[in-house]
Amino acid sequence: MSLPAIFLDSLTGTPGFDLQAFSQVHRSGEQVTSVRVHPQKGEDNSRTIAGIPASPVPWSRYGYYLDERPSFTFDPLFHAGTYYVQEASSMFLEQAFLQLNKGEEGIKVLDLCAAPGGKSTHLLSLLPANSLLVSNEVIRQRAGVLKENIIKWGAENAVVTNNDPKDFAHLSGFFDVLVIDAPCSGSGLFRRDPEAIQEWSLNNVALCSQRQQRILADVWPALKEGGVLIYSTCSYSAEEDEQIMDWIQRELGGENCLLTVDPAWGILETTSESSNRGYRFWPDRLKGEGFFLACFRKTTGDSVAPVKPRKLPDAASKADREMTGRWMDVSGKTLIRHQQTVYAWPAELYNEFVWLLEQTKVLYSGIKTGELMRDKLVPDHAMAMSSLVLPGIRRVELDNGAAIRYLQRKDIQLVGQTPGWALACFQGKPLGWLNILPGRVNNYYPKELRILKDI
Ligand code: SAM
């Protein structure tokens, strides 16, 4: 891989840039593979993931490097949501989030540029009890992928929205934490995606920098006084990193926050012209791709908009609740009925969920539990992915071959099973629903998620 001279020249003088080492690490062809495990579905201290030896990412308790890249598509546990494939440097979000939020319960977090969901699923593993995540993506198609990944992660306290950043401005002072993983010129991922090199230009860096400022200015009112902004990019360019830090301080009045970083991690603490500090990840200094992160606290208060929903959605009837309760644990949940569909929301976040429905373009919220058909509930895939399914619901264990067939939405054969609904499981982890009928099995794996390839 050869990097354009104009790109390398533009990095001269950038904190931590070492031309020789940087060029060498891009020439080497080395690829780093890392995943982040689901705290409930996955195994902590995993020695192997997808059959590959794993070793910890030092700055994330859930992150693991894999010695080589397996075919994730053909690992049923990937589809069960036991882990998310994520670049290691960007897992540093965990340090920022945990060091700046001291475990206060019931916080509200906006992940503004969230697709495909790496930071959002990570945040869902870190949020204290009773907290809310609004996971937003402005591009509709990408928001669909985000929704699928949030469903696979199985959390009930997330709302997926499809809004422009400026749409959040009137949710004045609503959020305790803003995560802005900004669209950027993407140089940090050149090693993984060499084709992106062709799209890099000085002009694009300037455009990205302007867009980052616009996004920040648009959404800043939604952060409450005392709240924290976590800003990140995967660009090496100072125009998108250090210069944006100074812009946040100068134009928005954000107060730079420092993080404690173990020197052994190889992360560079960078200082801007106005003495703001951020954290740079250089692939020649650590095991990960290019990344930048900085944090700011809001010290001035925008007026806080009261959370006052006007129109309440239809609550499910007592009978609907009873029916849903035969499948899943409904304690602490408010059940909402929209036509024939039932959703489970955390009761303590009811007002916020309704308010968001009124104020933003919500694509998904809580857990979709199923469709009511006459006096029955047909369970939804999202319920299977959550941890709410009752232990008494039948689980059918599939071997690797059958699990792949199930995920391809092909016919599967089961012997000695009595008719009825069951969770299809691989190594005890739910993949989705099956309806066993006399003589055949109906595969309820969602069509849009099915594996299209053959091994
Ligand atoms: N946070 C994501 C994750 O961890 O998986 C990655 C986000 S990616 C770096 C940036 C996202 O910003 C993309 O999904 C992109 O579609 C979105 N985006 C592009 N233009 C935008 C804009 N003008 N305002 C807000 N988001 C934008």
Side-chain angles (χ1 to χ4, degrees):
M1 179 189 307
S2 82
L3 296 167
I6 188 163
F7 166 64
L8 294 172
D9 287 350
S10 77
L11 297 185
T12 307
T14 305
F17 177 58
D18 174 340
L19 176 63
Q20 291 298 323
F22 184 79
S23 303
Q24 165 55 27
V25 85
H26 282 80
R27 267 197 308 269
S28 73
E30 188 208 2
Q31 293 288 327
V32 179
T33 301
S34 49
V35 302
R36 183 172 39 71
V37 298
H38 191 297
Q40 284 85 41
K41 296 188 188 192
E43 321 285 336
D44 250 358
N45 302 319
S46 308
R47 296 238 171 104
T48 62
I49 293 171
I52 307 292
S55 54
V57 172
W59 45 84
S60 167
R61 66 169 286 203
Y62 303 120
Y64 291 90
Y65 296 109
L66 302 188
D67 283 2
E68 55 189 271
R69 192 175 182 88
S71 164
F72 292 114
T73 306
F74 291 108
D75 178 18
L77 292 178
F78 168 72
H79 301 277
T82 67
Y83 61 87
Y84 186 97
V85 182
Q86 189 181 23
E87 197 285 301
S89 302
S90 60
M91 297 179 197
F92 185 66
L93 170 73
E94 181 170 325
Q95 292 298 324
F97 186 83
L98 294 181
Q99 290 187 32
L100 299 175
N101 295 283
K102 301 290 179 204
E104 186 196 340
E105 295 196 352
I107 63 167
K108 302 184 201 87
V109 179
L110 171 61
D111 183 7
L112 185 69
C113 312
K119 309 273 180 322
S120 278
T121 52
H122 198 174
L123 288 163
L124 286 168
S125 302
L126 303 172
L127 284 180
N130 306 328
S131 296
L132 163 74
L133 175 71
V134 177
S135 182
N136 179 70
E137 169 57 43
V138 66
I139 297 176
R140 180 64 184 84
Q141 210 181 354
R142 289 177 61 81
V145 177
L146 173 65
K147 173 181 154 183
E148 284 169 5
N149 281 326
I150 295 285
I151 289 176
K152 201 193 318 182
W153 211 246
E156 63 204 60
N157 53 340
V159 175
V160 180
T161 58
N162 174 214
N163 283 85
D164 189 275
K166 67 177 178 321
D167 300 340
F168 289 97
H170 68 288
L171 273 71
S172 193
F174 184 69
F175 293 102
D176 299 270
V177 179
L178 268 182
V179 175
I180 302 187
D181 188 28
C184 69
S185 60
S187 47
L189 300 181
F190 281 173
R191 197 162 59 142
R192 247 184 24 184
D193 180 14
E195 281 172 24
I197 299 173
Q198 313 308 323
E199 282 156 40
W200 191 91
S201 68
L202 287 172
N203 192 36
N204 194 31
V205 169
L207 286 175
C208 286
S209 176
Q210 282 162 16
R211 182 168 57 183
Q212 287 147 2
Q213 293 165 26
R214 204 166 54 239
I215 291 171
L216 283 157
D218 281 348
V219 77
W220 185 250
L223 185 62
K224 79 169 192 195
E225 183 177 353
V228 168
L229 162 71
I230 303 176
Y231 172 81
S232 60
T233 73
C234 56
S235 163
Y236 297 111
S237 300
E239 293 86 334
E240 302 177 69
D241 299 342
E242 283 84 356
Q243 290 179 26
I244 294 289
M245 289 203 286
D246 289 352
W247 186 90
I248 293 170
Q249 183 195 43
R250 196 173 59 243
E251 302 295 328
L252 304 177
E255 186 185 275
N256 187 218
C257 307
L258 299 187
L259 302 176
T260 305
V261 177
D262 184 335
W265 294 349
I267 299 165
L268 183 93
E269 191 180 83
T270 167
T271 307
S272 69
E273 257 179 37
S274 303
S275 305
N276 289 301
R277 307 258 178 95
Y279 302 89
R280 273 189 174 267
F281 291 66
W282 291 99
D284 47 302
R285 289 171 176 254
L286 47 72
K287 207 169 159 189
E289 304 308 314
F291 185 63
F292 170 84
L293 182 143
C295 306
F296 290 83
R297 202 173 284 282
K298 185 168 177 178
T299 54
T300 51
D302 279 293
S303 61
V304 179
V307 180
K308 266 200 194 149
R310 281 188 298 267
K311 188 175 166 293
L312 299 182
D314 290 342
S317 68
K318 207 173 154 205
D320 299 342
R321 191 174 177 89
E322 212 177 274
M323 206 166 352
T324 312
R326 286 184 216 140
W327 292 89
M328 56 172 264
D329 180 4
V330 292
S331 57
K333 309 283 174 291
T334 300
L335 297 188
I336 301 299
R337 181 168 172 171
H338 178 64
Q339 295 166 348
Q340 296 309 105
T341 310
V342 179
Y343 290 87
W345 290 354
E348 69 277 4
L349 295 174
Y350 176 77
N351 275 340
E352 284 79 4
F353 271 46
V354 183
W355 201 60
L356 286 163
L357 269 185
E358 287 175 359
Q359 304 291 329
T360 62
K361 192 170 149 200
V362 172
L363 297 185
Y364 186 77
S365 57
I367 303 279
K368 184 175 172 188
T369 66
E371 298 283 328
L372 291 160
M373 302 270 183
R374 292 193 204 94
D375 57 344
K376 288 201 178 77
L377 182 84
V378 176
D380 193 85
H381 182 68
M383 192 210 289
M385 292 290 97
S386 76
S387 54
L388 300 174
V389 179
L390 296 175
I393 296 289
R394 180 155 43 134
R395 278 139 170 96
V396 172
E397 182 64 26
L398 304 179
D399 63 19
N400 192 71
I404 297 296
R405 284 188 72 76
Y406 173 77
L407 294 165
Q408 290 170 323
R409 217 165 181 269
K410 292 185 175 168
D411 288 341
I412 55 168
Q413 315 286 331
L414 295 172
V415 272
Q417 295 281 351
T418 51
W421 284 90
L423 274 177
C425 293
F426 177 73
Q427 294 180 1
K429 312 291 179 190
L431 301 173
W433 293 105
L434 287 171
N435 192 6
I436 303 163
L437 303 172
R440 80 189 153 97
V441 177
N442 280 352
N443 184 337
Y444 272 77
Y445 193 66
K447 205 171 162 189
E448 62 283 8
L449 299 182
R450 73 192 189 282
I451 301 176
L452 295 169
K453 293 191 278 189
D454 275 315
I455 292 185

Short mmCIF file of all heavy atoms in Angstrom, two decimals, residues 84 113-119 137-139 142 165 181-183 211 215, ligand 1:
data_model
loop_
_atom_site.label_atom_id
_atom_site.label_comp_id
_atom_site.label_asym_id
_atom_site.label_seq_id
_atom_site.Cartn_x
_atom_site.Cartn_y
_atom_site.Cartn_z
N TYR A 84 -19.63 -8.23 18.96
CA TYR A 84 -19.75 -7.28 17.85
C TYR A 84 -18.34 -7.08 17.30
O TYR A 84 -17.40 -6.91 18.08
CB TYR A 84 -20.30 -5.95 18.41
CG TYR A 84 -20.62 -4.92 17.34
CD1 TYR A 84 -21.91 -4.76 16.86
CD2 TYR A 84 -19.61 -4.10 16.82
CE1 TYR A 84 -22.20 -3.81 15.88
CE2 TYR A 84 -19.90 -3.16 15.84
CZ TYR A 84 -21.20 -3.02 15.37
OH TYR A 84 -21.48 -2.10 14.40
N CYS A 113 -24.22 10.02 15.62
CA CYS A 113 -23.81 9.50 14.30
C CYS A 113 -23.55 8.02 14.51
O CYS A 113 -22.40 7.59 14.61
CB CYS A 113 -22.55 10.21 13.82
SG CYS A 113 -22.62 12.00 13.95
N ALA A 114 -24.60 7.24 14.62
CA ALA A 114 -24.47 5.94 15.28
C ALA A 114 -24.30 4.73 14.37
O ALA A 114 -23.83 3.69 14.83
CB ALA A 114 -25.67 5.72 16.20
N ALA A 115 -24.72 4.81 13.09
CA ALA A 115 -24.66 3.60 12.26
C ALA A 115 -23.21 3.23 11.94
O ALA A 115 -22.38 4.12 11.78
CB ALA A 115 -25.41 3.83 10.94
N PRO A 116 -22.87 1.94 11.90
CA PRO A 116 -23.75 0.78 12.04
C PRO A 116 -24.04 0.33 13.48
O PRO A 116 -24.77 -0.62 13.67
CB PRO A 116 -22.97 -0.31 11.29
CG PRO A 116 -21.53 0.07 11.48
CD PRO A 116 -21.50 1.58 11.49
N GLY A 117 -23.47 1.02 14.48
CA GLY A 117 -23.87 0.66 15.84
C GLY A 117 -22.75 0.23 16.77
O GLY A 117 -23.03 -0.23 17.88
N GLY A 118 -21.49 0.40 16.35
CA GLY A 118 -20.38 -0.02 17.21
C GLY A 118 -20.40 0.70 18.55
O GLY A 118 -20.40 0.08 19.61
N LYS A 119 -20.46 2.03 18.51
CA LYS A 119 -20.43 2.80 19.77
C LYS A 119 -21.74 2.61 20.54
O LYS A 119 -21.73 2.54 21.76
CB LYS A 119 -20.22 4.30 19.50
CG LYS A 119 -19.06 4.63 18.60
CD LYS A 119 -17.78 4.77 19.34
CE LYS A 119 -16.62 5.10 18.42
NZ LYS A 119 -16.56 4.46 17.10
N GLU A 137 -29.15 7.97 13.43
CA GLU A 137 -28.38 7.98 12.18
C GLU A 137 -29.19 8.76 11.15
O GLU A 137 -30.37 8.48 10.93
CB GLU A 137 -28.13 6.55 11.71
CG GLU A 137 -27.60 6.42 10.31
CD GLU A 137 -26.28 7.17 10.05
OE1 GLU A 137 -25.37 7.12 10.89
OE2 GLU A 137 -26.19 7.82 8.99
N VAL A 138 -28.53 9.73 10.51
CA VAL A 138 -29.25 10.61 9.58
C VAL A 138 -29.55 9.92 8.25
O VAL A 138 -30.57 10.21 7.61
CB VAL A 138 -28.49 11.95 9.39
CG1 VAL A 138 -27.16 11.75 8.70
CG2 VAL A 138 -29.33 12.96 8.64
N ILE A 139 -28.70 9.00 7.81
CA ILE A 139 -28.92 8.37 6.50
C ILE A 139 -29.85 7.17 6.68
O ILE A 139 -29.55 6.23 7.44
CB ILE A 139 -27.57 7.97 5.86
CG1 ILE A 139 -26.74 9.24 5.62
CG2 ILE A 139 -27.77 7.20 4.56
CD1 ILE A 139 -25.35 9.01 5.09
N ARG A 142 -28.67 3.50 6.30
CA ARG A 142 -27.73 3.13 7.36
C ARG A 142 -28.47 2.99 8.70
O ARG A 142 -28.09 2.20 9.55
CB ARG A 142 -26.61 4.15 7.46
CG ARG A 142 -25.65 4.10 6.28
CD ARG A 142 -24.57 5.17 6.35
NE ARG A 142 -23.71 5.10 7.51
CZ ARG A 142 -22.66 4.29 7.65
NH1 ARG A 142 -22.32 3.49 6.66
NH2 ARG A 142 -21.94 4.28 8.74
N PRO A 165 -28.96 16.16 12.74
CA PRO A 165 -28.52 16.68 14.05
C PRO A 165 -29.34 17.89 14.53
O PRO A 165 -29.64 18.00 15.71
CB PRO A 165 -27.06 17.06 13.79
CG PRO A 165 -26.61 16.13 12.72
CD PRO A 165 -27.80 15.89 11.85
N ASP A 181 -19.43 10.63 17.03
CA ASP A 181 -18.39 9.92 16.30
C ASP A 181 -18.54 10.42 14.85
O ASP A 181 -19.25 9.83 14.05
CB ASP A 181 -18.67 8.41 16.42
CG ASP A 181 -17.55 7.56 15.86
OD1 ASP A 181 -16.40 8.01 15.87
OD2 ASP A 181 -17.85 6.43 15.41
N ALA A 182 -17.89 11.52 14.58
CA ALA A 182 -18.25 12.34 13.43
C ALA A 182 -17.87 11.72 12.09
O ALA A 182 -16.86 11.04 11.98
CB ALA A 182 -17.56 13.69 13.57
N PRO A 183 -18.69 12.01 11.05
CA PRO A 183 -18.27 11.63 9.70
C PRO A 183 -16.98 12.41 9.41
O PRO A 183 -16.88 13.59 9.73
CB PRO A 183 -19.43 12.11 8.81
CG PRO A 183 -20.19 13.10 9.63
CD PRO A 183 -19.96 12.76 11.07
N ARG A 211 -18.19 20.44 8.27
CA ARG A 211 -19.39 19.66 8.61
C ARG A 211 -19.37 19.28 10.09
O ARG A 211 -20.40 19.30 10.77
CB ARG A 211 -19.45 18.40 7.73
CG ARG A 211 -20.68 17.56 7.98
CD ARG A 211 -20.88 16.51 6.92
NE ARG A 211 -19.72 15.64 6.81
CZ ARG A 211 -19.58 14.66 5.92
NH1 ARG A 211 -20.55 14.43 5.06
NH2 ARG A 211 -18.51 13.93 5.87
N ILE A 215 -22.34 20.11 12.73
CA ILE A 215 -23.02 19.07 13.51
C ILE A 215 -22.96 19.42 15.00
O ILE A 215 -23.96 19.36 15.72
CB ILE A 215 -22.37 17.68 13.25
CG1 ILE A 215 -22.67 17.21 11.82
CG2 ILE A 215 -22.83 16.65 14.27
CD1 ILE A 215 -21.90 15.96 11.39
N1 SAM B 1 -20.48 5.55 15.47
C1 SAM B 1 -20.54 4.56 14.41
C2 SAM B 1 -20.06 3.24 14.97
O1 SAM B 1 -19.33 3.22 15.95
O2 SAM B 1 -20.44 2.20 14.42
C3 SAM B 1 -19.77 4.99 13.20
C4 SAM B 1 -20.19 6.34 12.69
S1 SAM B 1 -19.42 6.92 11.24
C5 SAM B 1 -17.85 7.35 11.77
C6 SAM B 1 -20.20 8.45 11.00
C7 SAM B 1 -21.69 8.42 10.74
O3 SAM B 1 -22.15 9.76 10.52
C8 SAM B 1 -22.08 7.64 9.49
O4 SAM B 1 -23.02 6.65 9.82
C9 SAM B 1 -22.71 8.69 8.58
O5 SAM B 1 -23.79 8.19 7.84
C10 SAM B 1 -23.15 9.75 9.54
N2 SAM B 1 -23.27 11.09 8.92
C11 SAM B 1 -22.92 11.47 7.68
N3 SAM B 1 -23.22 12.75 7.47
C12 SAM B 1 -23.76 13.22 8.61
C13 SAM B 1 -24.28 14.48 9.02
N4 SAM B 1 -24.27 15.52 8.21
N5 SAM B 1 -24.77 14.57 10.26
C14 SAM B 1 -24.77 13.51 11.09
N6 SAM B 1 -24.29 12.31 10.75
C15 SAM B 1 -23.79 12.16 9.54
#
